[in-house]
Amino acid sequence: MSASAVFILDVKGKPLISRNYKGDVAMSEIEHFMPLLMQQEEEGALAPLLSHGRVHFLWIKHSNLYLVATTLKNANASLVYSFLYKTVEVFSEYFKELEEESIRDNFVIVYELLDELMDFGFPQTTDSKILQEYITQQGNKLETGKSRVPPTVTNAVSWRSEGIKYKKNEVFIDVIESVNLLVSPPPSLAWRQHQVNANGSVLLSEIVGTIKLKVFLSGMPELRLGLNDRVLFELTGRSKNKSVELEDVKFHQCVRLSRFDNDRTISFIPPDGDFELMSYRLSTQVKPLIWIESVIEKFSHSRVEIMVKAKGQFKKQSVANGVEISVPVPSDADSPKFKTSVGSAKYVPEKNVVIWSIKSFPGGKEYLMRAHFGLPSVEKEEVEGRPPIGVKFEIPYFTVSGIQVRYMKIIEKSGYQALPWVRYITQSGDYQLRTS
């Protein structure tokens, strides 16, 4: 059992638009939602599910809107929340920004979308590319004798239209890994060799990966993607040396999950254009790719000097692009002066940081930045500890995990030749180094 009705409310709880799917919950029940929400806010125990008698309100907030689904008992809550977030995604792709104004300006289209997104309380067509084939922002002009619903909706492959043609058939594969890292401060502030165990310990280390595809293929092709997946290597008796153990793997709906469960083959008929094929996570010990050391010296409460050393701890053939190192400074600092061995530094007073920008940072290189600030003559007590140093970067042609696309097979009944292109990118996620 899923939602009985869906409401979109403004920030004050006034309904902007609603759709009654089952008729088993009175539409007037929505009047109880905002008082219940305000009561919970006052008690400081805000819950994503509120109840009034036998009626349950499952809700999310987006921008200045509340999206609320009403239901009776035994509803599949995870399905309802997935539907609400998918509804936000579809509306955002239609209107760019989903807010009260975009709902009011597109009332007819919003109602039509709500009508197609769910049928009698069960999610139906939630792919915006398919919906845009027959619900357009110019409005629908139905022609006599023609079906409103395109064949895609009734196909087994609802995410791809038939009859797609390209002069040049290509597939672009992007393997993107984000590194989340939190490092504790070193035991002393003295410069020393950059060993993680000597200068501080890694408190959190995680790789979050996604494989994104851009598909320009004619017809209805079947694709098979091969990775250096450790479980697959074990099944086939290959050496595990250069394999990767993937965790928390999530696939696009186009992937045949039964085939993957049986023999780890990633087989699918792709949507047209851009989409995310899969995501994965690796909770593995990652050596910090860009290591940071900092020394702060205060002189008689009149000035502060900061020295920061950055080292690229990835292979020398690789280069990190767009590196930004955010170094926290005292909130009462002024009169900044900088000296850098490479790149440029600027003071951002509203954030109390110095941002050291380096366009190109080769692996194995070390660079220095010195900053000098004036301080008020009266010493300000430091109540809180220093915020961590944050690092942003992107390293092309490189993955931390060592994941590799071994092959991409493209099978289509017309037998055309298609070119797969693969690109690897490693970038910073939540990458922080605490300082003493």
Side-chain angles (χ1 to χ4, degrees):
M1 185 181 291
S2 190
S4 298
V6 169
F7 296 82
I8 300 176
L9 314 178
D10 66 16
V11 75
K12 294 179 180 177
K14 182 183 176 184
L16 298 172
I17 193 167
S18 61
R19 177 69 172 86
N20 190 350
Y21 294 107
K22 300 182 73 173
D24 59 345
V25 175
M27 298 297 277
S28 59
E29 286 285 343
I30 196 64
E31 294 170 9
H32 301 289
F33 170 73
M34 191 51 74
L36 285 167
L37 187 69
M38 291 174 71
Q39 182 185 338
Q40 284 228 331
E41 281 182 339
E42 287 172 7
E43 294 170 358
L46 206 57
L49 189 149
L50 305 171
S51 300
H52 179 257
R54 291 177 63 239
V55 179
H56 304 293
F57 303 98
L58 295 89
W59 64 278
I60 63 172
K61 189 177 183 184
H62 179 84
S63 186
N64 56 356
L65 299 171
Y66 291 99
L67 281 81
V68 186
T70 58
T71 183
L72 296 174
K73 291 181 180 178
N74 302 321
N76 183 336
S78 60
L79 180 65
V80 176
Y81 287 117
S82 294
F83 174 78
L84 291 176
Y85 281 111
K86 192 67 184 177
T87 301
V88 169
E89 186 182 315
V90 169
F91 287 168
S92 297
E93 286 178 5
Y94 261 82
F95 312 130
K96 306 302 179 197
E97 295 287 339
L98 176 57
E99 53 192 14
E100 183 179 337
E101 191 177 343
S102 56
I103 296 293
R104 292 187 185 280
D105 291 347
N106 299 279
F107 192 86
V108 173
I109 297 167
V110 170
Y111 198 83
E112 288 189 351
L113 286 170
L114 288 173
D115 212 31
E116 294 297 334
L117 285 163
M118 185 172 275
D119 183 35
F120 197 66
F122 293 94
Q124 192 175 236
T125 307
T126 58
D127 191 311
S128 64
K129 286 185 180 177
I130 304 305
L131 289 164
Q132 284 169 13
E133 288 185 24
Y134 60 102
I135 297 179
T136 66
Q137 284 169 280
Q138 286 74 41
N140 293 307
K141 294 180 181 178
L142 302 180
E143 295 179 36
T144 310
K146 288 192 176 181
S147 170
R148 177 186 175 190
V149 180
T152 321
V153 176
T154 53
N155 276 352
V157 185
S158 62
W159 53 86
R160 185 179 179 89
S161 302
E162 291 184 3
I164 296 171
K165 289 183 181 178
Y166 286 101
K167 286 183 179 180
K168 189 177 183 181
N169 292 289
E170 295 178 303
V171 180
F172 296 89
I173 307 164
D174 279 348
V175 181
I176 303 166
E177 290 191 341
S178 295
V179 180
N180 297 330
L181 192 77
L182 180 60
V183 180
S184 69
S188 85
L189 292 176
W191 301 117
R192 57 176 72 185
Q193 290 301 308
H194 303 291
Q195 299 298 320
V196 174
N197 56 1
N199 274 24
S201 56
V202 176
L203 302 178
L204 181 147
S205 174
E206 181 183 62
I207 300 167
V208 178
T210 56
I211 297 182
K212 296 182 178 181
L213 268 62
K214 191 175 283 189
V215 176
F216 303 108
L217 295 175
S218 306
M220 199 67 74
E222 180 182 339
L223 276 57
R224 290 176 194 164
L225 179 70
L227 304 171
N228 57 336
D229 174 12
R230 184 161 297 175
V231 178
L232 173 63
F233 277 34
E234 287 173 352
L235 286 171
T236 54
R238 291 189 183 93
S239 168
K240 295 189 289 183
N241 289 344
K242 292 188 176 181
S243 63
V244 174
E245 189 171 353
L246 303 176
E247 304 166 31
D248 292 346
V249 181
K250 296 183 180 69
F251 288 111
H252 186 275
Q253 62 174 329
C254 67
V255 175
R256 296 186 176 95
L257 296 179
S258 56
R259 180 83 188 267
F260 181 77
D261 290 339
N262 287 337
D263 59 13
R264 304 292 282 193
T265 299
I266 302 171
S267 174
F268 56 99
I269 295 171
D272 189 43
D274 298 340
F275 74 102
E276 185 177 297
L277 176 69
M278 63 179 283
S279 64
Y280 58 90
R281 185 181 60 84
L282 290 146
S283 51
T284 183
Q285 189 80 352
V286 178
K287 182 181 181 181
L289 297 171
I290 295 180
W291 179 256
I292 305 292
E293 283 187 5
S294 68
V295 174
I296 291 188
E297 288 185 86
K298 286 190 178 180
F299 296 90
S300 63
H301 318 310
S302 62
R303 73 182 198 275
V304 61
E305 288 187 1
I306 302 171
M307 289 186 293
V308 178
K309 184 189 282 188
K311 181 180 180 182
Q313 297 193 140
F314 46 94
K315 59 185 183 180
K316 291 180 180 179
Q317 306 95 300
S318 296
V319 176
N321 296 326
V323 177
E324 283 191 0
I325 301 165
S326 299
V327 184
V329 298
S331 58
D332 54 350
D334 58 24
S335 310
K337 294 176 185 175
F338 305 109
K339 188 177 181 181
T340 60
S341 61
V342 71
S344 61
K346 68 173 181 178
Y347 177 41
V348 185
E350 61 270 21
K351 294 182 180 178
N352 296 322
V353 294
V354 170
I355 296 179
W356 179 16
S357 302
I358 305 168
K359 286 184 180 179
S360 181
F361 196 138
K365 291 286 185 181
E366 278 188 17
Y367 298 121
L368 272 173
M369 186 271 287
R370 294 173 185 268
H372 177 285
F373 287 90
L375 287 176
S377 56
V378 180
E379 183 178 4
K380 183 179 177 181
E381 288 187 20
E382 292 187 18
V383 180
E384 298 177 1
R386 291 181 64 219
I389 291 175
V391 187
K392 291 182 182 178
F393 59 84
E394 183 170 290
I395 309 173
Y397 318 113
F398 175 78
T399 59
V400 194
S401 68
I403 194 170
Q404 290 179 344
V405 174
R406 293 172 49 244
Y407 63 82
M408 168 67 86
K409 292 180 181 175
I410 301 164
I411 305 155
E412 213 278 330
K413 62 183 180 182
S414 66
Y416 60 71
Q417 295 297 307
L419 294 169
W421 304 91
V422 185
R423 181 173 62 167
Y424 299 96
I425 301 169
T426 290
Q427 59 191 21
S428 55
D430 188 7
Y431 191 105
Q432 297 183 338
L433 298 98
R434 289 180 179 167
T435 54
S436 297

